[in-house]
Amino acid sequence: MRRTGIAGAALLAGAVTGLAAAPAQAQEYRYWSFWHGKGSSWAYATEGPATLRPADGEVAGFRFTVSADSAAAGKPRAAAGFDAICHGTPAKDGRKRIGVVVDFGTAADAPGGERPPKPRTECAQVPEDASAGEALAAVARPLRYDSSALLCAIAGYPASGCADQVKGQKDAKEPAPSSGTAADGRADGGGDGGPSAGLIGGGAAVLVLGAAAVWQARRRRG
C-alpha cells in the first residue's frame, strides 16, 4: 500500500476498530505507538490521541518502537503513575492535568546514526476538553508530522524519516483488515510504503495529531 493509503487509514484512526493483526513474518516499521495508562500499567489505546480525551488524573504514553503489529509494540518503560508525574502541579479551575510519558525507545530501535534521548515524563495542564494529542503538544515540542498528518517525531526525535520500513527482513504478504477502508475507498490492505493494518491496531497508532496541533494553535490565536 502506498503512503496515501496509510494516510486514509490514519484519518479513520479514531473510528475504526477490530483490524486484523499482521503475521509474525510481516514487515516491521519504526513508529510512535500510543498507550493509555491503566493504574500503574499500560494498555494499547483503542483510539487515536486526536480523539482520546483523558480525564484529569489520567496518563498518556508514547513509545518509539519497531514492530509489525500492535501486539509486538514496545510499551513505555516508565510506570503509568499519575501521582508521581503530576505531584508538583496543583489543580486549577477550568483545567485538567494529564501525565505524559515519552519513551524514545532503545538503541536497537533507533534509525541509523541516531541515539534515543532518555525517557521523560511531564505533567500537561490543559483545557478540560483537551485531547491526548494536545497534551503531548503542550509538553514535548517540537513535534514533526508528514504531509498526511502522521506523527513522525516527538521532541525532535527521530530527526528524519516517518514510519519507515526496517530493512533486511524477508518480504511477507500482509493480510487485509477485518474492517475499515482507506479514505479513497480502498481497503487498508498490505503492500509497500507504510505500516500494516495490524500495526495501526484498531486506530490506536499515533495518527492525526497534526490536525489537533493546528486546531490548538488556531484556538490560541483566537
Side-chain angles (χ1 to χ4, degrees), residues 20-219:
Q25 295 301 314
Q27 174 66 54
E28 291 186 328
Y29 295 83
R30 290 186 176 91
Y31 72 105
W32 280 99
S33 60
F34 174 45
W35 301 81
H36 184 208
K38 295 285 188 180
S40 60
S41 62
W42 294 104
Y44 205 84
T46 57
E47 59 183 290
T51 58
L52 182 65
R53 300 184 184 278
D56 181 80
E58 295 187 356
V59 180
F62 300 84
R63 167 73 186 266
F64 192 71
T65 188
V66 172
S67 73
D69 59 76
S70 59
K75 299 178 181 180
R77 288 167 291 178
F82 173 80
D83 291 339
I85 297 171
C86 289
H87 65 89
T89 304
K92 187 179 296 185
D93 289 342
R95 310 279 287 180
K96 65 181 177 182
R97 296 165 299 164
I98 300 173
V100 178
V101 174
V102 180
D103 189 331
F104 297 91
T106 66
D109 294 338
E114 295 202 52
R115 178 178 297 179
K118 293 181 179 180
R120 56 192 282 191
T121 59
E122 302 284 351
C123 186
Q125 193 161 61
V126 291
E128 292 179 333
D129 63 345
S131 67
E134 291 175 285
L136 177 67
V139 298
R141 293 182 178 180
L143 307 180
R144 178 170 56 84
Y145 306 88
D146 71 0
S147 60
S148 302
L150 173 66
L151 180 67
C152 304
I154 297 176
Y157 181 83
S160 62
C162 195
D164 294 333
Q165 292 185 2
V166 177
K167 296 181 180 180
Q169 289 193 316
K170 296 180 180 179
D171 292 334
K173 185 177 180 180
E174 297 171 357
S178 57
S179 63
T181 58
D184 58 7
R186 294 179 293 112
D188 304 333
D192 294 333
S196 69
L199 182 152
I200 294 172
V206 185
L207 306 168
V208 292
L209 274 170
V214 170
W215 174 81
Q216 183 184 39
R218 288 177 177 173
R219 184 171 67 173

